[in-house]
């Protein structure tokens, strides 16, 4: 008994005999264990590999599956995900069958075409509204005295920490026919009968601007705050009016911020689901709602997948532009 | 300058009104003793009737418990993976596949939620089929699948926060420690982690909030029978305004406000301590 315990203790001094795992776990105690892992090249690989692997398995591969299923054939009586695209035939040959029926349908069915156009219109218009409100706000914060700046920024970010769903819900109470806005306006005698605001495109614009405003302000602020104010002074010394100085100096310099903020609003807004479901029109669906109806109600997985793929292709260019500006800002922060 | 300054200040005020009036209304009408939420019943209000109702609402309480569990697990997972990814992207220099990793971490930030939700669900369905086919194992969608989905989309936020915090410091401190003979692991735990600790903490809170709040992705990957709080709220709110939801929202706003005030106080105290120490170091 005693001798075996002694031998186990002695193993601390005799590495190698019990194999590398033993060495790692026991010869190096917990703090040194991590050292061992990090010191080695394989440790570095582990640090890179872990997040990489996770994103590959749970983010990239799912898209490949969506891509695959979008080419499957839908049969109302079958069980999803219906017929596989790849099939091993008996001779060991791989059969690949691509059915583009779902895609053809997407571009011919008027319901889909109008949903696409409507989604783009709503996202584009809301982005512009967001920019028109967010730019002056970011500008005012960036030019305010440093003591107020943090308070203002906090006030911008604070709603973001409260539930998105509940903030959209709050607008139902404001916009509906016997809601707060109509009650106040009628109480003041400005209008005689309630305005219809719920279930309109207007309500969706309000909801998107309201929910995504911080995403517009923050990139704009971090850009505007870095501006060299002596440039503006120089412009004014040379006789430029404040408006001209703004148009020729500040606005062009803030272009990366404008792009980053706008894309951060536009891209998710195209695929927005919650806001149009709660506030939007019932006769005109946005594309995300159509996707989920196709999936959950009709159980037509191929069509839902095809919608997702087309939406993704549509958004690839904006997403790449966004990443371009994002990397630029990160590189600028490094300098 | 003056005219722009005035205009932008007016817009700032308007913007803050726009941001906060709806929240204030939500809170005020939670005390309204009337079924039609937005018409103030001045006879018996303010009342705590809807809070009482909320306290006995088993569906909401059960869903809240599920949401807390999911959010805590997802935030912790997201912090581990996101911090690693942020560290790798900010400090490891060029390596093969770096651009791809950068792309994979920023894409979930802007990806429309329906796409992420659909693709995650299809992955889980495929995994189910594979497991059943090869191992005869049956697994149901539920809290584990929701957690995996939430880790995936929240870790991007942690990565961005950590990466930009690291980008704000040059690596001279780490290099100095290495030159003085500290091992890489020691450098990581003694220098890098304290530097990015605020980013890690805010990353955890951000991930928790996003997970706590998510409805679209969750709806796709949740199996039957596992309801998170946003799913319950969403299904009730679709039928119109609901005073119990107002009461719940008020409580959530209260918690967030308390948390923000607390963190501001703590941060200020830390700042003061640092200043005092700097002064003492300068004089002593």
């Amino acid at each position: 008994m005693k001798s075996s315990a002694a031998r186990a203790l002695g193993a601390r001094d005799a590495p190698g005999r019990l194999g590398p795992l033993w060495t790692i776990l026991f010869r190096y105690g917990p703090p040194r264990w991590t050292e061992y892992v990090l010191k080695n090249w394989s440790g570095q690989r582990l640090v890179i590999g872990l997040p990489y692997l996770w994103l590959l398995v749970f983010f990239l591969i799912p898209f490949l599956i969506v891509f695959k299923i979008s080419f499957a054939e839908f049969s109302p009586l079958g069980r999803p995900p219906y017929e596989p695209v790849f099939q091993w035939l008996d001779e060991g040959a791989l059969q690949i069958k691509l059915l583009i029926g779902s895609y053809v349908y997407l571009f011919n069915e008027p319901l889909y075409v109008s949903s696409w156009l409507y989604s783009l219109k709503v996202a584009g218009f809301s982005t512009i509204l967001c920019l028109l409100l967010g730019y002056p706000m970011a500008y005012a914060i960036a030019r305010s005295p440093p003591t107020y700046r943090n308070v203002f920024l906090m006030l911008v970010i604070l709603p973001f920490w409260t539930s998105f769903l509940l903030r959209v819900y709050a607008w139902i109470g404001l916009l509906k026919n016997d809601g707060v806005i109509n009650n106040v306006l009628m109480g003041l005698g400005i209008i005689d009968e309630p305005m219809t605001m719920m279930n309109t495109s207007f309500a969706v614009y309000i909801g998107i601007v309201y929910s995504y405003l911080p995403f517009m302000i923050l990139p704009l602020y971090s850009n505007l705050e870095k501006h060299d104010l002596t440039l503006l002074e120089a412009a004014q010394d040379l006789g430029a009016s404040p408006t001209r100085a703004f148009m020729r100096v500040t606005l062009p310099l803030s272009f990366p911020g404008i792009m980053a903020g706008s894309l951060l609003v536009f891209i998710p807004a195209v695929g927005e689901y919650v806001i149009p479901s709660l506030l939007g029109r019932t006769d005109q669906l946005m594309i995300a709602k159509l996707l989920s109806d196709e999936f959950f109600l009709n159980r037509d997985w191929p069509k839902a997948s095809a919608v997702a793929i087309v939406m993704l292709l549509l958004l690839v260019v904006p997403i790449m532009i966004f990443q371009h500006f994002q990397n630029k800002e990160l590189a600028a922060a490094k300098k | 300058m003056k005219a722009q300054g005035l205009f932008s200040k007016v817009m700032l005020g308007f913007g803050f009104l726009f941001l906060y009036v709806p929240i204030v209304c939500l809170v005020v009408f939670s005390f309204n003793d009337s079924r039609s939420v937005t018409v103030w019943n001045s006879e018996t209000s303010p009342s705590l009737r809807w809070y009482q109702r909320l306290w006995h609402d088993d569906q909401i309480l059960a869903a809240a418990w599920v949401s807390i569990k999911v959010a805590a697990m997802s935030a912790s997972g997201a912090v581990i993976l996101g911090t690693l990814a942020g560290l790798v992207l900010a400090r490891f220099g060029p390596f093969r596949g770096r651009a791809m990793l950068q792309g994979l971490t920023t894409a979930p930030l802007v990806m429309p939620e329906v796409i992420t939700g659909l693709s995650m669900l299809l992955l889980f369905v495929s995994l189910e089929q594979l497991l059943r086919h090869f191992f005869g194992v049956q697994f149901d969608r539920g809290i584990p699948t929701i957690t995996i989905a939430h880790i995936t989309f929240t870790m991007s936020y942690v990565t961005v926060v950590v990466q930009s915090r690291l980008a704000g410091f040059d690596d001279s401190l780490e290099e100095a420690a290495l030159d003085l003979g500290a091992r890489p692991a020691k450098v990581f735990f003694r220098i890098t982690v304290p530097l990015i600790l605020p980013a890690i903490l805010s990353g955890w809170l951000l991930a928790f909030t996003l997970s706590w709040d998510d409805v679209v992705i969750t709806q796709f990957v949740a199996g039957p029978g596992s309801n998170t709080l946003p799913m319950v709220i969403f299904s009730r709110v679709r039928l119109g305004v609901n005073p119990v939801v107002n009461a719940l929202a008020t409580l959530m706003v209260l918690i967030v406000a308390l948390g923000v005030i607390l963190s501001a106080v703590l941060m200020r105290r830390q700042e003061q301590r640092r200043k005092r120490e700097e002064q003492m170091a300068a004089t002593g």
Side-chain angles (χ1 to χ4, degrees):
Chain A
M1 272 298 273
K2 207 179 174 186
S3 68
S4 72
R7 220 180 300 142
L9 280 173
R12 284 176 150 265
D13 304 318
R17 218 199 286 168
L18 288 152
L21 183 69
W22 178 264
T23 320
I24 294 170
L25 288 181
F26 293 96
R27 189 173 148 73
Y28 299 92
R32 296 174 78 194
W33 175 76
T34 39
E35 259 171 65
Y36 182 89
V37 170
L38 283 173
K39 199 170 62 187
N40 289 286
W41 185 66
S42 60
Q44 201 176 30
R45 247 164 135 197
L46 186 81
V47 172
I48 299 178
L50 211 60
Y52 220 121
L53 194 70
W54 182 278
L55 286 167
L56 283 181
V57 171
F58 293 114
F59 193 71
L60 198 63
I61 292 180
F63 284 116
L64 301 180
I65 298 175
V66 173
F67 190 68
K68 184 193 124 177
I69 290 180
S70 74
F71 288 107
E73 189 180 12
F74 172 65
S75 56
L77 299 173
R79 235 180 119 251
Y82 312 108
E83 206 182 323
V85 177
F86 306 102
Q87 242 171 344
W88 291 101
L89 301 179
D90 288 340
E91 306 89 59
L94 179 68
Q95 185 197 38
I96 300 179
K97 209 162 53 171
L98 297 179
L99 293 157
I100 55 167
S102 303
Y103 288 92
V104 173
Y105 184 82
L106 287 195
F107 290 103
N108 287 322
E109 171 68 37
L111 178 68
Y112 274 91
V113 176
S114 78
S115 294
W116 284 116
L117 295 177
Y118 182 65
S119 301
L120 289 177
K121 187 186 108 183
V122 166
F125 203 65
S126 324
T127 307
I128 293 170
L129 286 177
C130 220
L131 183 64
L132 290 180
L133 179 60
Y135 195 99
M137 287 180 77
Y139 185 88
I141 297 173
R143 297 287 176 270
S144 61
T147 39
Y148 291 121
R149 221 176 279 172
N150 284 337
V151 178
F152 287 150
L153 274 183
M154 183 69 98
L155 283 174
V156 170
I157 300 169
L158 198 60
F160 182 76
W161 288 96
T162 59
S163 164
F164 160 74
L165 183 61
L166 290 173
R167 277 181 296 134
V168 177
Y169 163 71
W171 279 97
I172 301 181
L174 289 169
L175 294 175
K176 64 190 190 119
N177 275 356
D178 59 344
V180 176
I181 293 179
N182 274 322
N183 285 348
V184 168
L185 287 180
M186 284 200 292
L188 291 175
I190 296 172
I191 51 172
D192 293 328
E193 49 192 77
M195 295 186 288
T196 311
M197 289 181 285
M198 268 297 283
N199 302 110
T200 60
S201 302
F202 170 74
V204 180
Y205 298 145
I206 294 267
I208 293 179
V209 173
Y210 182 67
S211 319
Y212 290 104
L213 195 58
F215 292 107
M216 179 63 89
I217 294 178
L218 294 178
L220 275 172
Y221 165 79
S222 72
N223 172 291
L224 284 166
E225 178 222 30
K226 286 197 292 264
H227 284 195
D228 186 355
L229 291 181
T230 53
L231 286 175
L232 280 178
E233 275 170 30
Q236 277 182 334
D237 285 349
L238 293 171
S241 68
T243 318
R244 195 176 155 84
F246 174 80
M247 296 300 277
R248 300 295 293 270
V249 179
T250 310
L251 202 57
L253 278 177
S254 56
F255 184 70
I258 293 178
M259 287 306 284
S262 301
L263 291 168
L264 220 44
V265 175
F266 179 80
I267 298 167
V270 172
E272 183 50 55
Y273 174 83
V274 172
I275 297 172
S277 311
L278 292 183
L279 304 174
R281 281 164 65 173
T282 42
D283 56 332
Q284 173 68 66
L285 301 180
M286 275 179 76
I287 198 68
K289 175 82 175 126
L290 208 56
L291 186 157
S292 101
D293 281 355
E294 204 67 81
F295 189 86
F296 286 113
L297 298 181
N298 302 343
R299 296 178 69 74
D300 190 339
W301 292 21
K303 220 162 274 163
S305 303
V307 173
I309 293 294
V310 173
M311 203 195 293
L312 202 62
L313 290 177
L314 200 75
L315 293 177
V316 155
V317 174
I319 288 177
M320 282 171 76
I321 299 175
F322 171 73
Q323 291 200 335
H324 170 76
F325 282 108
Q326 173 94 354
N327 290 343
K328 233 183 183 173
E329 291 280 308
L330 275 175
K334 220 171 211 166
K335 267 175 211 156
Chain B
M1 267 310 247
K2 275 257 170 70
Q4 283 156 27
L6 188 66
F7 172 71
S8 65
K9 268 177 203 152
V10 170
M11 288 300 270
L12 186 66
F14 174 75
F16 281 139
L17 274 183
F18 176 66
L19 282 177
Y20 284 97
V21 164
I23 298 176
V24 171
C25 285
L26 204 63
V27 170
V28 168
F29 284 103
S30 75
F31 298 106
N32 185 11
D33 188 20
S34 159
R35 201 152 255 300
S36 73
V37 182
T38 52
V39 183
W40 188 256
N41 175 359
S42 49
E43 278 167 27
T44 49
S45 308
S47 88
L48 291 176
R49 173 174 159 200
W50 304 116
Y51 291 87
Q52 242 167 0
R53 191 68 72 79
L54 175 68
W55 184 244
H56 296 290
D57 194 321
D58 291 333
Q59 192 194 18
I60 283 188
L61 294 182
W65 179 233
V66 172
S67 277
I68 287 179
K69 280 193 286 193
V70 168
M73 286 191 294
S74 320
S76 307
V79 155
I80 294 171
L81 290 167
T83 305
L84 287 181
L87 183 74
V88 165
L89 288 171
R91 285 288 192 263
F92 273 29
F95 60 91
R96 235 173 57 197
R98 186 185 184 282
M100 174 123 157
L101 184 63
Q102 179 77 64
L104 279 175
T105 47
T106 34
L109 292 178
V110 285
M111 191 61 66
E113 284 186 301
V114 274
I115 299 184
T116 314
L118 177 72
S119 62
M120 287 296 243
L121 173 59
L122 294 182
L123 173 80
F124 291 135
V125 170
S126 309
L127 280 180
E128 262 169 46
Q129 284 174 341
L130 278 180
L131 285 178
R132 197 168 46 225
H133 188 258
F134 287 108
F135 304 104
V137 187
Q138 185 89 27
F139 83 90
D140 294 319
R141 271 169 278 134
I143 291 180
T145 52
I146 301 174
T147 307
I148 289 175
H150 284 191
I151 288 177
T152 310
F153 89 91
T154 53
M155 71 173 274
S156 303
Y157 289 85
V158 182
T159 307
V160 170
V161 174
V162 168
Q163 194 186 349
S164 53
R165 171 98 185 165
L166 275 172
F169 297 101
D170 55 11
D171 44 11
S172 56
L173 276 177
E174 281 131 310
E175 261 172 35
L178 281 173
D179 285 349
L180 291 170
R183 297 176 204 220
K186 192 162 186 182
V187 174
F188 177 72
F189 285 109
R190 297 293 293 273
I191 311 263
T192 315
V193 167
L195 276 183
I196 59 175
L197 197 63
I200 293 178
L201 284 179
S202 59
W204 193 90
L205 285 174
L206 191 60
F208 186 95
T209 317
L210 288 165
S211 160
W212 168 261
D213 200 27
D214 178 77
V215 55
V216 180
I217 294 173
T218 316
Q219 253 182 356
F220 274 96
V221 297
S226 53
N227 270 333
T228 62
L229 189 60
M231 287 167 77
V232 172
I233 296 175
F234 190 59
S235 65
R236 286 202 193 179
V237 157
R238 277 181 126 163
L239 307 171
V241 283
N242 183 325
V244 177
V245 175
N246 279 52
L248 180 68
T250 305
L251 290 180
M252 276 158 71
V253 168
L254 195 72
I255 291 171
V256 169
L258 281 179
V260 167
I261 292 170
L262 192 73
S263 73
V265 169
L266 283 178
M267 247 150 67
R268 170 166 287 194
R269 195 172 283 175
Q270 206 177 14
E271 191 89 340
Q272 278 168 349
R273 202 178 61 198
R274 216 195 57 213
K275 268 192 191 141
R276 230 186 6 250
E277 276 167 6
E278 269 172 14
Q279 261 173 2
M280 273 164 68
T283 54

